[in-house]
Amino acid sequence: MLQRNQLHAYQERAVNWVKEHKHCALFLEMGLGKTVSTLTAIAELKAIGEVSSALVVAPKRVAERTWTDEIQRWQHLAGLTAVKVLGTPDQRIKALHTPADIYIINRENVAWLAKELSARKPFPFDTLVIDELSSFKAYGTQRFKAMKRIRANFTRIIGLTGTPSPNSLMDIWSQLYILDGGERLGAYITKYRQTYFTPGRGRGNIVYEWILQPGGADAIYHRIGDICMSMRASDYLTLPPVNYVYTPIGLTDNERKQYKAFKREQVLTAPEGRITASNAGVLCGKLQQWTGGALYTDDGAVIPTTAAKMERLKEMLEEITTPVLIAYHYRHELQRLRVELPKAKTIDEPGVFDAWNRGEVPILLGHPASIGHGLNLQRGGHTIIWYTPTWSLELYEQFNARLARQGQTERVTIYHLIAEDTIDTRVIDVLRSKSTLQSALMEELKADTPRPYPTVPKRVPAKVPF
């Protein structure tokens, strides 16, 4: 087991940050040890009587393994007891009544938990840890509304994520609200928008896009900087370099003609059914399905489009001799990958997680939304292939970090199968542009950034003087 003195210096700083702030966020990029740093802080606060019972809210797979695995890995955490509040409602209720220091629940059951705890007096937890705080960025979801109802019951709240603003700084408001109840960025999203943003594209009273006012980003960073600390992996870890490879996939003249016709007309007719794209968002999804090799019809049937990506993927796998992690997006892609790659496994299959890390699984198929957070897969391989690229920077970076993280000893290569002159190229461009914005936020909140204004006024001004 690992000893307390084996924590890295930057992890010690994260531990101290949590101990010194009753409400705080650690914006630590993947691989920097958010979990062990937080557990260490909890253990030390528990030892001096400042923490008695902690609730951890995490993605399902992280809740199932990561937190308890870390407790078992480190000797100084051996005194902590943890219970997983998972399974059926009866199993979850039984877990809640089991004495422990830490209770771990998946984020999908937060609304259930809030209802369950509403009648319990006294409130059973004094500390809240939200692993992947960015999963609460959507303020209209049930999980956010449930957390909003119960957040005031916790003495300490700790938010963890490596991707705080995967799309824009609009994502920050709800995350900060969970931490401080609106003290820094306002109690209402409408006020936040009016203060820091300007309406962009829209129709009537409906605004589709909010644009940062000049100086808005700096004003937001200043407001939240006293409780949010950022660390970037490149500043603290010496990892083998990551090699990003963009593999062009050529379409036949006939396939290209069909693709362009579908894009232009938003309608494609086939013997198996009729496919329509009623708006731009749906069309983008349909176009990605098209380049991946198949489409869902309006009645749920699947029709083939092009075999170009699948054929190139199979050619690549003949050349790659090490285990490969493949990212898919649609259910029909998973079904076709299983047929074309009979040796492929998914993380849901019994024993596959450990077998992968032993190097015994040649091909592992994963959806970014289900395998993209918390799982340590770096021991099993160092090659990723994006069969279908994702629009989400958060999912993209989290998925890549399953292999490109601390403990990886080989150079990680990340391949992207990009159908030429299609929606795929646009997706990659969007990922790059979003990364630029998030990089600015992470840089501003770095642990080494001087903080000349440690105290933030409680009242948010009606207009920020940019």
Side-chain angles (χ1 to χ4, degrees), residues 401-458:
R402 296 316 97 213
L403 303 188
R405 62 191 298 113
Q406 188 166 303
Q408 178 60 259
T409 58
E410 302 290 340
R411 178 172 183 147
V412 174
T413 299
I414 302 174
Y415 295 93
H416 310 74
L417 301 185
I418 307 299
E420 293 180 295
D421 300 322
T422 70
I423 192 71
D424 289 352
T425 58
R426 176 59 179 157
V427 176
I428 296 301
D429 289 342
V430 168
L431 288 173
R432 286 170 173 161
S433 64
K434 288 180 180 177
S435 182
T436 300
L437 184 145
Q438 179 160 287
S439 294
L441 171 63
M442 296 292 282
E443 189 68 23
E444 180 62 27
L445 299 177
K446 279 173 60 172
D448 295 329
T449 301
R451 302 177 189 279
Y453 307 105
T455 301
V456 176
K458 291 187 177 182

Side-chain angles (χ1 to χ4, degrees), residues 147-217:
M147 190 60 70
K148 183 179 179 181
R149 292 197 302 272
I150 65 173
R151 60 160 305 281
N153 293 288
F154 298 93
T155 304
R156 288 181 175 273
I157 302 179
I158 307 158
L160 310 175
T161 184
T163 53
S165 59
N167 299 306
S168 77
L169 283 174
M170 194 65 75
D171 295 337
I172 288 291
W173 177 81
S174 57
Q175 299 175 64
L176 263 292
Y177 184 93
I178 289 175
L179 296 180
D180 69 2
E183 181 178 331
R184 286 162 181 80
L185 296 181
Y188 302 99
I189 184 64
T190 51
K191 184 69 171 181
Y192 178 65
R193 287 172 179 160
Q194 293 168 2
T195 303
Y196 301 105
F197 296 82
T198 299
R201 293 182 301 108
R203 176 180 294 179
N205 294 326
I206 301 175
V207 178
Y208 300 130
E209 178 185 30
W210 290 90
I211 302 171
L212 270 170
Q213 296 182 21

